[in-house]
Amino acid sequence: MVDDGFGGSDSASTTLTLNNESPTATFSNSGPVDEGSTAIVTFADQFDPSTADTTAGFLYSYDFDNDGTFEVTDSSEAVMTVPASYLVDGPGSRTVSGRIQDKDGGHTEYPTTIQIDNVAPQVTPNSPTVIL
């Protein structure tokens, strides 16, 4: 309400629309790793301009084989172990996708590429067979 000081007044209203800003973070890995080993992927430096979203915390999802289907969804864990079964056939690499999501559904996806080192096979000789 506005009052001009001489008995005249008026009022008006307006509608504000707030758009949800998606959270951001850095997404990294513990590589390089030996083939057949596990790796760790980590979200760090999480940020959301909304204090309410930041206070509520974030949810994290992980797509270990980068096929568009998340193997882990809506976890509260910002650090996750990539199972060894996804890290085979070195030398090579594996792209893992991670998603950070706020309480309102705003989300951002990130890839990280884990380098996989080849490991030489190990042979353990059997006991000698003696034929008499």
Side-chain angles (χ1 to χ4, degrees), residues 99-123:
R99 178 174 61 205
I100 180 173
Q101 181 175 314
D102 66 22
K103 70 176 181 55
D104 300 313
H107 65 274
T108 306
E109 291 185 19
Y110 298 96
T112 185
T113 301
I114 302 169
Q115 294 303 312
I116 305 168
D117 293 335
N118 190 37
V119 176
Q122 298 199 3
V123 176

Side-chain angles (χ1 to χ4, degrees), residues 67-114:
D67 66 354
T69 301
F70 289 89
E71 283 73 32
V72 176
T73 58
D74 298 339
S75 170
S76 61
E77 300 297 322
V79 176
M80 187 62 56
T81 299
V82 179
S85 60
Y86 291 94
L87 303 171
V88 295
D89 297 330
S93 62
R94 166 71 70 183
T95 298
V96 174
S97 291
R99 178 174 61 205
I100 180 173
Q101 181 175 314
D102 66 22
K103 70 176 181 55
D104 300 313
H107 65 274
T108 306
E109 291 185 19
Y110 298 96
T112 185
T113 301
I114 302 169

